[in-house]
Amino acid sequence: MNRDFAYTITLLRKEKKLSQKEAAEALGVSQALLSHYEKGIRECGLSFVVKAADYYNVSCDYLLGRTAERQYDIAELSADAAVITKQNAASLINQRLLDNTSSIIFDCLSKVGNRKLTRTVAGYFMLCCYKVFRLLYRSNAANPDGMFTLADRLYRGYTSAAQEKVFTELESMCAPDSDGFVHNLRELNVSPEQIAADYPEAAGSLFNVIQQAENAVNKIK
């Protein structure tokens, strides 16, 4: 999580003249856990960020240190940005997390400088987006049928197979003992410390995505 987060939630609590115990009860966490959040010892999940933003009446971006404005001023934003701010806070923060994380990934790929690797990563992301969007599209029977060429009964299996194929290619390019290994990857420093130094505003998003993904996996282990 962004280093500003711990300072900001502490400041907001003190502005409301609340004890840690009072704020923790209102936010649905223990006082010990809130203390860890405020000291930056532990990172919170998305649900806490959203709840804290609602409770303190500020934007999620303000909590994460991405803006000095406590609330969005829709009148000063572009039309596209205004649409985004009308989304609920959970949608907004998830979008920020994924935007920031993909930016880090593609910047790392540009440093590696291998076009095939970049195309393969992009292809994997595109397949993920395709699957999700198609589900959303098909949720409304009124949407026209001509959007997709793959039959409904086939797309899931074929898309999943395509994803597995692309990911296998990625594993080959990223495995040092593979014939397809992209040797420039040996020079890519993506340690947590280097990520935080290179991407001070986006690193917290990547770390949060990793945490959320591993939490999801641990629930089914």
Side-chain angles (χ1 to χ4, degrees), residues 125-185:
F125 281 155
M126 288 177 188
L127 285 165
C128 292
C129 292
Y130 169 79
K131 287 179 73 174
V132 173
F133 178 75
R134 182 157 181 159
L135 285 174
L136 297 175
Y137 191 89
R138 289 303 192 196
S139 297
N140 184 353
N143 288 326
D145 290 333
M147 185 74 172
F148 310 104
T149 57
L150 280 176
D152 286 344
R153 68 181 184 280
L154 299 176
Y155 94 91
R156 180 176 178 179
Y158 279 125
T159 306
S160 296
Q163 282 182 295
E164 284 298 312
K165 177 179 181 294
V166 172
F167 196 76
T168 299
E169 292 173 358
L170 282 176
E171 287 183 314
S172 175
M173 285 186 274
C174 295
D177 59 348
S178 169
D179 291 339
F181 180 61
V182 177
H183 293 282
N184 287 353
L185 285 169

Side-chain angles (χ1 to χ4, degrees), residues 61 67 69 71-86 92 96:
D61 271 4
T67 179
E69 300 297 327
Q71 291 288 350
Y72 293 108
D73 185 353
I74 294 179
E76 294 181 0
L77 298 175
S78 68
D80 289 342
V83 172
I84 292 174
T85 60
K86 293 177 182 178
L92 179 60
R96 297 289 192 191

Side-chain angles (χ1 to χ4, degrees), residues 10 15 26 36 46 55 70 81 99 103 128-130 145 176-177 200:
T10 303
E15 282 184 356
H36 285 172
L46 294 178
Y55 180 65
R70 296 196 175 199
D99 284 348
S103 293
C128 292
C129 292
Y130 169 79
D145 290 333
D177 59 348

Side-chain angles (χ1 to χ4, degrees), residues 26-136:
L27 293 169
V29 297
S30 68
Q31 182 178 347
L33 185 55
L34 180 60
S35 176
H36 285 172
Y37 289 162
E38 291 188 354
K39 292 177 181 177
I41 296 174
R42 291 187 60 180
E43 291 188 354
C44 66
L46 294 178
S47 60
F48 181 83
V49 176
V50 173
K51 187 176 291 186
D54 289 341
Y55 180 65
Y56 290 120
N57 194 32
V58 296
S59 70
C60 292
D61 271 4
Y62 179 78
L63 280 183
L64 297 174
R66 291 180 56 83
T67 179
E69 300 297 327
R70 296 196 175 199
Q71 291 288 350
Y72 293 108
D73 185 353
I74 294 179
E76 294 181 0
L77 298 175
S78 68
D80 289 342
V83 172
I84 292 174
T85 60
K86 293 177 182 178
Q87 298 175 9
N88 61 48
S91 294
L92 179 60
I93 193 170
N94 276 294
Q95 180 181 333
R96 297 289 192 191
L97 287 175
L98 294 174
D99 284 348
N100 289 339
T101 299
S102 62
S103 293
I104 291 175
I105 290 173
F106 280 100
D107 190 64
C108 289
L109 290 170
S110 71
K111 293 176 182 178
V112 173
N114 185 284
R115 286 185 293 178
K116 182 179 179 181
L117 179 61
T118 299
R119 286 197 306 269
T120 306
V121 172
Y124 188 78
F125 281 155
M126 288 177 188
L127 285 165
C128 292
C129 292
Y130 169 79
K131 287 179 73 174
V132 173
F133 178 75
R134 182 157 181 159
L135 285 174
L136 297 175

